[in-house]
Amino acid sequence: MSSSVRRLIMASISNTLSLKHGLSLWCPQSAPLNRIHQGSCSFPSRSFRRCFTVSASSFANENREFVIVGGGNAAGYAARTFVEHGMASGKLCIVSKEAYAPYERPALTKAYLFPLDKKPARLPGFHTCVGSGGERQTPDWYKEQGIEMLYEDPVVNVDIEKQTLKTNSGKLLKYGSLIIATGCSASRFPDKIGGNLPGVHYIRDVADADSLISSLEKAKKVVVVGGGYIGMEVAAATSGWKLDTTVIFPEDHLMPRLFTPSLGQKYEKLYQDYGVKFVKGTSIKNLEAGSDGHVSGVKLENGSTIEADTVVIGIGAKPAVGPFEKIGLNSTVGGIQVDGQFRTGIPGIFAIGDVAAFPLKIYNRISRVEHVDHARRSAQHCVKSLLTAHTATYDYLPYFYSRVFEYEGSPRKVWWQFFGDNVGETVEIGNFDPKVATFWIDSGILKGVLLESGTAEEFQLLPKLARNQPSVDKAKLQNASSVEEALEIARASLQVGAAA
């Protein structure tokens, strides 16, 4: 190669060929690809030219500048943010193990499980981003935006040095920047205790929910294992089907990671009014099968057996790290470690949503949040940081909610919201008819608040309280005669803090 050509190549480094055309080989933009070897940009050998041709044709994705792995909430909201910045068309590829475009996953344990005569939710009704009032991003939307979608083909390997991904089907994908949005996978019972018997269900995607619905259409006795989100929401749904439903969990009350014992008992009583039974404070020894191999019961550690033809396991989830373990994990909370802009320790690789272990700025700790609100916000923050000069640290306020018994004909709908941190002492106000509020107070500072059946204005107050963490008079709160009065006392503490 002559020195003049070498200088020409070095001067053109900023004009790299797009990743869409293969590996990063430099050439002046004015030189068309079919003239690369004809003087404008000479390659040293014929074999080198062959290498370029092979590399360009060996990648299965056309859009290579940005690749998102995962097809859940976070991916859908990230895609919208790329579009808003004009950086999606011809540049963005989403690789998903699912058969559907990203959708609002919470629907799967809520409206998707409504009885068939109660107008259950179905796709395309809940594609992202309708859950936050945004546009419904159907498969056609992704096509119109020039976003390449690869369905039902999970990534099984990543080569960090070569910036390539390999999928289950053997496709080789190229990326410039990579966003890992793989979410979580359901924790499962092992095979040896019947965790995969016919009639045993876990819920993480549409296929799982469809399988459960198929079982519910024939079911008579349902057992739900777990007293957390999945357990509460599935039990609410099956009661709507008028099915014999029993919920089993080892703790003393529902939702022990958030609810106080008093609050848990109030919700348990409501569920019992709907016909749901509880078996608390016990563990499961194994799931039993009938002569046909189908699940027939749940055997407890105390030796008793509860009959069941359908069992739903909702015992939590674990981050779906998969082949990305080498990126760098957090040993305390699990998931892939990122900074306040969702950057991993590898330049050009990011992680968002449930799989990301991130700095929770407001409480100065590393956290991993499995919730749709965080999936949405982390996706938006990450993409803005990637595409713009946006350098602000992600400042998330923990938020959880649940909505159940919302099908037609339900005598009472349940909708609670929680913001903040559930630490310190608690003050509970209200008798659950339908309102109840719980305040978490640590050293005189309001840290968290939960409200059931609030008005829109009351719900809007909660994040303000949790974000500002005002000093509150615990005795005054305890003496409040109603939820409304308690919230007004808390609101006044905000104003006092602002005046100070």
Side-chain angles (χ1 to χ4, degrees):
M1 180 186 294
S2 69
S3 60
S4 60
V5 171
R6 190 176 292 114
R7 285 195 301 271
L8 180 61
I9 293 176
M10 293 305 294
S12 305
I13 283 177
S14 62
N15 296 324
T16 59
L17 289 175
S18 165
L19 282 166
K20 178 178 280 193
H21 301 299
L23 294 174
S24 186
L25 297 173
W26 294 295
C27 190
Q29 285 182 333
S30 58
L33 288 177
N34 62 3
R35 290 180 54 225
I36 273 178
H37 64 286
Q38 296 177 3
S40 295
C41 187
S42 299
F43 289 143
S45 70
R46 209 172 275 166
S47 62
F48 195 94
R49 292 198 298 273
R50 273 201 307 272
C51 177
F52 173 78
T53 305
V54 170
S55 68
S57 62
S58 62
F59 300 124
N61 56 321
E62 288 291 319
N63 297 2
R64 298 170 188 167
E65 193 161 337
F66 308 106
V67 173
I68 300 173
V69 178
N73 278 90
Y77 281 81
R80 181 176 74 173
T81 311
F82 274 108
V83 170
E84 288 170 348
H85 285 82
M87 294 295 285
S89 184
K91 300 175 184 292
L92 177 61
C93 174
I94 298 177
V95 192
S96 174
K97 69 177 182 179
E98 298 211 38
Y100 305 93
Y103 53 86
E104 304 283 1
R105 199 174 299 278
L108 296 181
T109 53
K110 297 180 176 69
Y112 203 86
L113 296 183
F114 283 1
L116 301 182
D117 61 346
K118 304 293 185 184
K119 298 181 180 178
R122 292 292 182 267
L123 288 174
F126 58 97
H127 280 297
T128 56
C129 298
V130 296
S132 61
E135 183 179 359
R136 181 179 291 110
Q137 297 170 190
T138 64
D140 285 343
W141 180 88
Y142 290 88
K143 291 178 185 176
E144 291 163 4
Q145 301 300 334
I147 299 171
E148 185 176 6
M149 299 293 294
L150 303 179
Y151 296 106
E152 298 184 275
D153 203 4
V155 169
V156 295
N157 191 42
V158 55
D159 188 318
I160 296 170
E161 289 188 8
K162 295 180 180 178
Q163 293 180 247
T164 59
L165 304 166
K166 186 178 181 182
T167 70
N168 189 59
S169 70
K171 290 186 177 72
L172 188 64
L173 311 177
K174 184 70 177 172
Y175 67 84
S177 296
L178 174 66
I179 299 178
I180 303 165
T182 46
C184 282
S185 58
S187 296
R188 305 176 72 92
F189 274 9
D191 278 346
K192 65 182 180 182
I193 66 167
N196 289 310
L197 288 172
V200 176
H201 299 271
Y202 306 84
I203 304 181
R204 288 303 297 182
D205 57 32
V206 168
D208 293 337
D210 285 343
S211 177
L212 174 58
I213 290 167
S214 179
S215 286
L216 294 180
E217 290 181 287
K218 305 183 289 286
K220 293 181 179 177
K221 292 181 179 290
V222 178
V223 166
V224 179
V225 180
Y229 276 101
I230 300 296
M232 286 187 71
E233 294 182 350
V234 170
T238 56
S239 73
W241 288 67
K242 307 298 183 188
L243 297 174
D244 183 315
T245 300
T246 302
V247 182
I248 304 171
F249 50 89
E251 298 87 4
D252 294 329
H253 61 86
L254 277 175
M255 289 286 289
R257 291 171 59 185
L258 178 59
F259 288 178
T260 63
S262 173
L263 195 57
Q265 289 162 13
K266 286 180 170 60
Y267 281 97
E268 287 168 21
K269 175 63 169 61
L270 175 65
Y271 275 69
Q272 288 166 342
D273 291 344
Y274 277 86
V276 176
K277 293 169 285 194
F278 292 98
V279 178
K280 302 183 289 183
T282 187
S283 298
I284 291 170
K285 185 174 183 181
N286 62 275
L287 306 182
E288 298 184 333
S291 58
D292 59 356
H294 194 278
V295 69
S296 63
V298 178
K299 189 169 186 178
L300 306 180
E301 286 289 357
N302 63 16
S304 63
T305 299
I306 299 174
E307 290 183 26
D309 49 42
T310 299
V311 175
V312 184
I313 310 292
I315 55 172
K318 50 192 176 183
V321 174
F324 301 107
E325 185 172 350
K326 65 185 78 172
I327 304 297
L329 305 184
N330 182 284
S331 59
T332 303
V333 300
I336 298 170
Q337 183 65 57
V338 298
D339 66 9
Q341 293 176 301
F342 297 96
R343 298 174 296 195
T344 69
I346 309 296
I349 300 182
F350 304 77
I352 58 176
D354 295 5
V355 78
F358 66 96
L360 188 58
K361 181 179 177 181
I362 189 172
Y363 302 128
N364 192 31
R365 64 177 185 246
I366 299 298
S367 185
R368 196 176 57 76
V369 176
E370 298 171 9
H371 195 265
V372 62
D373 182 62
H374 165 63
R376 295 167 180 163
R377 293 176 185 271
S378 63
Q380 293 162 341
H381 192 96
C382 172
V383 176
K384 286 178 183 177
S385 299
L386 172 60
L387 298 180
T388 71
H390 178 74
T391 58
T393 295
Y394 185 58
D395 191 8
Y396 184 67
L397 177 66
Y399 162 55
F400 300 98
Y401 79 95
S402 187
R403 302 178 68 155
V404 293
F405 299 117
E406 291 196 306
Y407 47 82
E408 284 186 358
S410 171
R412 175 176 169 181
K413 295 172 172 55
V414 168
W415 182 14
W416 58 262
Q417 294 186 25
F418 167 85
F419 286 87
D421 203 9
N422 58 329
V423 295
E425 302 174 280
T426 58
V427 174
E428 183 181 293
I429 303 295
N431 52 13
F432 208 57
D433 65 346
K435 288 184 180 181
V436 65
T438 302
F439 301 86
W440 280 263
I441 303 168
D442 192 19
S443 301
I445 303 299
L446 181 61
K447 302 294 285 189
V449 58
L450 181 145
L451 176 62
E452 165 64 48
S453 298
T455 65
E457 183 182 3
E458 289 168 342
F459 278 143
Q460 288 167 10
L461 174 63
L462 305 189
K464 297 175 185 176
L465 293 171
R467 171 70 70 184
N468 287 281
Q469 303 181 64
S471 296
V472 293
D473 187 330
K474 178 184 172 185
K476 201 171 182 181
L477 264 184
Q478 288 173 322
N479 291 326
S481 60
S482 66
V483 169
E484 290 82 0
E485 183 182 347
L487 290 173
E488 198 50 49
I489 292 169
R491 187 196 304 273
S493 69
L494 276 178
Q495 296 166 349
V496 170

